[in-house]
Amino acid sequence: MAIGGSGAPWAAHMEELVLVRHGESLGNVADAQARDRGQGRLQLDTRDPDTPLSERGERQAHELARHVATSGPHPDVVLSSPYARAAMTARIVCSALDLEPLLDERLRERDLGIFDGLTGLGIRKHHPEEAERRARLGKFYYRPPGGESWTDVALRVRDVLRDLAQLYAGRRVWVFTHQAVIMSFRLALERLDEATLLDVDRTQPLANCSLTRYRKDGDLLQLATFADTGYLETSDVETTHEGTVGAEVPEEPELQDERTS
């Protein structure tokens, strides 16, 4: 077990921890369109940190705001990735609760380095040696040049968890962030090994604006729900995740997660 991580009792100082993936972004839409068309690069005019929510993503966030405002218990504190798609989602929800999100750069999306803006097809075309190296190492440990591995993200998340436990003991904390970050929280809190984490990532899609909830149970924070979108399924707002827009040109499995999330 990693020192200070993976289910350590200090994490349960919080009463509840809720992890929210941001609403659908223009990057999510551009990624799906590029893959459907067999293109190697996303058609985006913004940096990844500046890519906002799509119109549908804003509707998802407003639906979540209505859900949280009319159900309880409410969060005591809200933290967010500073990336526009996550911060926009957090601010829309916080506006219904008279709260202000605290931005923390450790909650940012995984840095894809030279793969930024490329689909799996584009990676294989422009960086074939790196595609082969990633296939050999596996997505968990592979770090693209100039970017981060999943284990790099996990280091950030463990650091965040230590601060949350110390600063917000006994409180309900909500975190608005990204797919790889949420999966890293699961790694740290549930003692998941590489194979189990990757199996969850492959078989259980993490939808936009989904809720992953941990509750205090004795000396641990225990997973209560993962990727819950029940509130959206009873609304007129579509639930989205990778592949929603199409997927007529399938990605090779080892490159499926190298995308804006």
Side-chain angles (χ1 to χ4, degrees):
M1 182 174 68
I3 296 173
S6 297
W10 48 260
H13 291 176
M14 289 175 284
E15 185 66 26
E16 182 180 63
L17 175 64
V18 179
L19 309 171
V20 186
R21 188 184 175 201
H22 59 80
E24 182 189 63
S25 72
L26 291 181
N28 295 144
V29 175
D31 177 78
Q33 291 174 342
R35 289 183 289 111
D36 286 349
R37 297 167 182 168
Q39 296 173 335
R41 184 175 295 276
L42 279 62
Q43 300 300 308
L44 276 177
D45 297 325
T46 58
R47 298 185 310 159
D48 188 33
D50 303 327
T51 302
L53 295 175
S54 66
E55 182 180 343
R56 180 164 53 189
E58 290 192 45
R59 294 200 307 270
Q60 291 168 343
H62 282 289
E63 192 63 37
L64 176 57
R66 284 191 287 271
H67 169 70
V68 176
T70 57
S71 62
H74 294 166
D76 298 308
V77 61
V78 172
L79 286 85
S80 175
S81 160
Y83 279 27
R85 53 192 181 273
M88 287 176 66
T89 307
R91 290 188 176 109
I92 289 171
V93 173
C94 282
S95 68
L97 301 172
D98 197 26
L99 291 173
E100 185 68 27
L102 305 174
L103 303 185
D104 191 320
E105 72 283 351
R106 293 172 297 178
L107 298 170
R108 69 188 185 276
E109 177 58 290
R110 183 169 72 96
D111 190 337
L112 297 180
I114 63 171
F115 291 171
D116 184 41
L118 297 178
T119 63
L121 180 65
I123 293 169
R124 292 190 294 275
K125 177 180 178 180
H126 297 289
H127 306 287
E129 293 182 357
E130 286 300 321
E132 291 177 6
R133 188 166 74 90
R134 186 186 186 282
R136 183 172 64 254
L137 288 176
K139 64 189 274 186
F140 187 68
Y141 290 110
Y142 173 76
R143 179 188 294 126
E148 295 178 294
S149 67
W150 278 40
T151 52
D152 291 328
V153 178
L155 289 174
R156 292 197 257 124
V157 165
R158 293 185 193 281
D159 194 48
V160 170
L161 279 169
R162 292 186 184 94
D163 283 353
L164 294 182
Q166 294 177 4
L167 295 172
Y168 305 119
R171 305 181 76 181
R172 301 181 185 277
V173 179
W174 283 46
V175 172
F176 289 75
T177 186
H178 310 267
Q179 180 182 17
V181 181
I182 292 173
M183 296 305 295
S184 294
F185 271 98
R186 291 203 63 177
L187 175 75
L189 290 168
E190 299 175 48
R191 304 182 180 186
L192 301 183
D193 58 22
E194 177 187 4
T196 302
L197 183 73
L198 295 184
D199 181 68
V200 172
D201 180 65
R202 182 177 61 254
T203 60
Q204 301 180 44
L206 190 62
N208 295 112
C209 263
S210 61
L211 306 177
T212 296
R213 190 183 304 269
Y214 289 87
R215 291 194 176 101
K216 184 174 182 179
D217 183 9
D219 291 334
L220 295 174
L221 280 177
Q222 297 286 1
L223 182 68
T225 58
F226 174 63
D228 178 26
T229 55
Y231 72 94
L232 279 178
E233 293 163 8
T234 58
S235 75
D236 60 358
V237 182
E238 183 180 1
T239 301
T240 57
H241 51 75
E242 275 64 34
T244 297
V245 181
E248 295 175 5
V249 182
E251 297 277 8
E252 293 182 13
E254 71 272 12
L255 290 174
Q256 283 180 345
D257 76 320
E258 305 300 355
R259 58 183 58 161
T260 299
S261 60

